[in-house]
Every structure is written in structure tokens, then in C-alpha cells.
Amino acid sequence: VQEERLEGVMKYLEFCLKQVVANNELGGIMELLNGEFLMPAPGGDPIRNPDVLPTGRNMHALDPSAIPTQAAVEVAEDVTRKLLEKLMDENGGQYPESIAFTLWGTDNIKTYGESLAQVLALVGVRPVADSLGRVNKVELIPLEELGRPRIDVVVSCSGVFRDLFINQMNLMDRGIKMAAEADEPLDMNFVRKHAIQQAEELGVSIREASARVFSNSAGSYSANVGLAIENGGWEDETQLQDQFLTRKGFAFNADKPGMMEQQADLFKSALKTVDVTFQNLDSSEISITDVSHYYDSDPTKVVQGLRDDKKKPMSLMADTTTANAQVRTLSETVRLDARTKLLNPKFYEGMLSTGYEGVREIQKRLRNTMGWSATAGEVDNFVFEDANDTFINDPEMQQRLLDTNPNAFRDMVTTFLEAN
């Protein structure tokens, strides 16, 4: 590559490096204590937006009414195209009829609404911004322009998303209801197809049956599946599935704004048509075994239990941490995460070098891996076998763990027994 072509790239990398090493935390605090004006700055992922650096400024998130941005919509269209192409390759050219989504509050802040835009794109709905850039309405994309069927969705929103983006939940609900009420062939509109079936099954109107946006009740957060697994307070997977359905089965209704009504039967009816469960990984800072949140809201085995044929839905994850987004199966993502962290000598030796807390980090990652096995059944046996050989069957390693953090070591043994 000619040096002239690299000049712009190198200048940008130099700018990013200067932003990373700049540190004005103490300076910013002193400015505030002196009653001076502190410059505002956006928050978010520094890889996606280097302008969040340097730190030490008055950080803000975003204007909730401005998402999804046009850039987020374009990225979402690319991800949904790759998602549908992968699913069609796996299913003999057939489109999925329904996809279960999980939406996170902080992730949508970082990406300016990418996963929200993915939901709208699958349904075939276009967000429309006003002259000030506020997204306050949606419109149906004609089937001729869409070029494929409208895919049904079942959206599980985190409690933080519900709190921050109630207007966006309104947009999703209105868009899905528009699709359900559109006079279109059922083989080209799976939203309407399923809404008609559920209306007959539950004895309600099509509009009521088309509720697809769910979350916790007001003031409640999480399915607490992760908490049960972390504490060992569960007997079998059915208990975890019932807990998910009970806590996440509150529907948002644009016709009754501000209310989250418990609609457990409608939630179950919508989930039992799901062919695919889907989540996004959009930050290099957190992976799927760093925290319990991702598997806490995963409905894979819940859907399997509700489906009439008891078939487990396909589980996929989109990695949008780079410009070239990748759509992988959940099992591939878990394998990749295990190889790069839990089973990687550079990782666990680095953790062990930090002492007590490092052993707890290893134990936490093992526990979260087991959580994916409990909620989705997508963890290969070799992950547990190799982890057992590394941390338990090796007498020297076993003694190091025991001497450094006996409590975490005991929890590791318990996790292996539960996984078995």
C-alpha cells in the first residue's frame, strides 16, 4: 500500500492514541470545585466513538428521542441481511417466521439504537425522523420494496431499556401493530399470520393479539435467572423457565401508554411460534461470560418448552464490535469466548497473578458458562472437560486455587457438579 494512502489512517490512529492517554479526571474535579464550567462530552464505547475520550469531562449519554439514528439503521439493515441469509442457508432457503429478540438499555446507548433498528427492519417498518432529528413515527415499507416476507418478532426488553426508551417501545409496538393489521398475504406477512392465530386462540382482537414488546413490571429488573444460578438456588431448568415467563411477561401497549400489563398467556403464545433466538454483542468491553445478564434473558429453552413440536430454536448472536459485523451461532460464540478466556493460559495465569480476586474472576466465568448451558443448552462438553482438566485434575493448579481463594475454589467444584 502506498504511504500516501495510509497518511489519513495514521493521523486518525495518532489522534485516537492521544485521546486514550489524555487524562483530565483530577483536573476536571478541580474545575468543578472551583465553580468553573466543565465541557460536556458524549459517553459510550470508545472504540465506536473515540470522541468519548479523554475522560474528565461532563459526560452525557444521548437524546432518547433521537434513536435509532440513520447510521444505526444502516448498520442494522446489514446485520439483518446477514442474519436472514444465514438462516435461509440453514433452512433450505426458507425464511424464519418469528425471531425472539433481547434489547438492552446501555447497549442501545452505545450503538445509538442498532438493535432497536434491527427489530423494525425485520418487521419491515421504517423509522421516520422529524426536522429536528427526533424519531416519533414509523411507516410500513411496501412489500414490493421490502422484497421478502415481514418477519414476526418477540421482543424482551431489559428493565433499563424500559426506563430509558419507553418512547421507542411505543414505536416498536405501533410498527408491529401496523404490520399485523396490513391487508397482505399471510405467506408474506408472518406478523399478521401469527396475530390472527393468536387472536382466535385467546379470544381477543388482532390488534390485542399482536402485542410483541415485553419487559418486567414497573420497578422490576431482570428475570433473576442469573441470580438463581449464581446462588445455586434452582432445582431444574423448568424452574428457571417459569421464572423467566413470570417476570418478563408484562406487555407494552401503545394504546395504553405508560402501562405494563401482565400478559403471560399472550407472551407464551407469541414465544411458541419462535424459530430463532437472537442477541447482539456490540462492545469489546464485555463478552457473554463476563456477566450473567446475557443468559439471564435468553429464552431458548423457554421457547423449546412452549413449542408444540418441542423443537429447540436456533440460537444466534451478532458480533458488531467491528465494522464488519458477524452473525454466529450461540455455540460458536461460547466456544470462541471459552478459548480466548476461560481456557486460555494467558488469561487464567494473568488472573491468578492478581491473587484472591483473580480466582473469583475465573470462577465467575465458569459459572456464567454453565448458565448458558442451563438456559440454552449450547455449551459443548469439551468446554467443561477441558476446564476440569485445567483447574481440578491438575494437583498443582488445584492447590494454587485453594491457597489463593478457597471460597471461589469450592464454588468452582460446585459448578462442575451442577453442570454434570
Side-chain angles (χ1 to χ4, degrees):
V1 180
Q2 296 178 349
E3 288 188 14
E4 304 84 58
R5 296 182 62 187
L6 289 174
E7 186 176 348
V9 175
M10 298 309 295
K11 284 183 178 179
Y12 180 70
L13 291 176
E14 184 180 359
F15 162 76
C16 292
L17 179 60
K18 289 179 179 178
Q19 296 289 81
V20 170
V21 299
N23 184 348
N24 192 40
E25 290 289 336
L26 291 177
I29 291 174
M30 292 308 299
E31 287 181 45
L32 289 174
L33 292 175
N34 290 329
E36 299 173 12
F37 175 74
L38 190 63
M39 287 295 293
D45 186 339
I47 294 177
R48 286 179 173 272
N49 181 13
D51 288 337
V52 307
L53 298 170
T55 58
R57 296 177 291 174
N58 189 8
M59 187 175 69
H60 60 83
L62 47 70
D63 178 2
S65 66
I67 73 165
T69 62
Q70 184 56 38
V73 169
E74 292 173 5
V75 172
E77 288 173 349
D78 182 53
V79 172
T80 53
R81 177 181 57 79
K82 291 179 178 179
L83 170 62
L84 293 176
E85 285 176 356
K86 186 174 184 68
L87 290 170
M88 290 176 70
D89 288 342
E90 296 284 340
N91 295 289
Q94 297 293 315
Y95 282 101
E97 293 197 4
S98 182
I99 298 178
F101 259 82
T102 303
L103 296 188
W104 301 100
T106 50
D107 289 0
N108 274 279
I109 290 175
K110 292 177 184 177
T111 65
Y112 301 96
E114 281 180 15
S115 52
L116 164 65
Q118 291 167 11
V119 172
L120 298 176
L122 284 170
V123 176
V125 171
R126 181 185 292 119
V128 180
D130 62 16
S131 58
L132 297 177
R134 295 173 301 193
V135 183
N136 49 29
K137 72 175 185 176
V138 290
E139 62 183 19
L140 278 181
I141 301 172
L143 287 176
E144 296 77 18
E145 180 183 342
L146 190 61
R148 59 163 173 82
R150 302 189 192 279
I151 310 299
D152 198 3
V153 292
V154 183
V155 186
S156 177
C157 302
S158 73
V160 174
F161 187 96
R162 174 205 62 210
D163 293 345
L164 294 177
F165 299 117
I166 196 73
N167 290 336
Q168 279 63 36
M169 293 174 73
N170 189 303
L171 285 177
M172 283 190 291
D173 188 63
R174 281 159 48 197
I176 293 167
K177 283 181 166 64
M178 287 168 64
E181 294 176 334
D183 186 11
E184 295 171 342
L186 298 186
D187 62 345
M188 291 297 291
N189 187 337
F190 299 135
V191 183
R192 181 170 176 78
K193 174 184 175 180
H194 295 154
I196 290 173
Q197 293 172 351
Q198 288 152 14
E200 294 176 354
E201 174 189 339
L202 300 172
V204 295
S205 68
I206 292 177
R207 188 171 182 82
E208 291 174 307
S210 62
R212 294 290 185 273
V213 183
F214 297 88
S215 185
N216 297 78
S217 62
S220 174
Y221 300 85
S222 164
N224 280 354
V225 169
L227 190 63
I229 289 176
E230 288 170 11
N231 296 334
W234 60 296
E235 297 296 329
D236 55 34
E237 292 173 2
T238 304
Q239 176 188 336
L240 301 178
Q241 294 160 21
D242 290 341
Q243 195 167 304
F244 176 88
L245 291 168
T246 300
R247 290 185 60 83
K248 304 296 286 189
F250 290 79
F252 177 87
N253 188 346
D255 299 330
K256 300 176 182 178
M259 295 177 61
M260 297 294 296
E261 296 182 325
Q262 187 165 25
Q263 296 279 5
D265 290 341
L266 187 53
F267 191 35
K268 293 176 184 177
S269 181
L271 282 172
K272 76 177 185 181
T273 66
V274 165
D275 304 306
V276 182
T277 60
F278 183 74
Q279 290 199 55
N280 285 276
L281 280 176
D282 44 43
S283 174
S284 301
E285 299 172 289
I286 299 175
S287 72
I288 61 171
T289 60
D290 282 324
V291 293
S292 62
H293 302 66
Y294 287 114
Y295 74 77
D296 179 273
S297 292
D298 180 78
T300 302
K301 285 194 174 180
V302 175
V303 171
Q304 181 182 11
L306 292 171
R307 283 179 63 103
D308 293 334
D309 58 7
K310 302 304 177 186
K311 178 183 176 182
K312 188 167 77 171
M314 192 173 181
S315 299
L316 296 177
M317 299 201 84
D319 179 352
T320 61
T321 55
T322 65
N324 183 27
Q326 300 289 323
V327 177
R328 302 186 181 97
T329 64
L330 175 56
S331 59
E332 289 173 336
T333 307
V334 173
R335 282 199 297 272
L336 179 63
D337 196 74
R339 286 299 189 198
T340 53
K341 293 189 177 178
L342 180 65
L343 303 177
N344 184 353
K346 289 185 177 180
F347 171 80
Y348 60 72
E349 287 295 346
M351 287 292 105
L352 285 168
S353 69
T354 67
Y356 184 92
E357 181 63 17
V359 178
R360 195 189 71 82
E361 280 293 318
I362 297 172
Q363 180 273 328
K364 181 183 75 173
R365 189 154 276 103
L366 176 66
R367 173 69 68 170
N368 289 339
T369 301
M370 197 272 288
W372 280 111
S373 183
T375 60
E378 294 289 336
V379 182
D380 294 306
N381 286 336
F382 84 82
V383 174
F384 293 114
E385 291 166 357
D386 288 5
N388 185 64
D389 290 340
T390 300
F391 301 113
I392 306 298
N393 285 349
D394 182 342
E396 183 181 345
M397 174 63 79
Q398 184 183 127
Q399 193 61 46
R400 288 173 67 189
L401 296 170
L402 192 57
D403 292 342
T404 308
N405 188 335
N407 292 326
F409 178 72
R410 183 189 65 227
D411 288 343
M412 289 179 71
V413 173
T414 302
T415 300
F416 279 118
L417 291 172
E418 290 180 9
N420 188 51

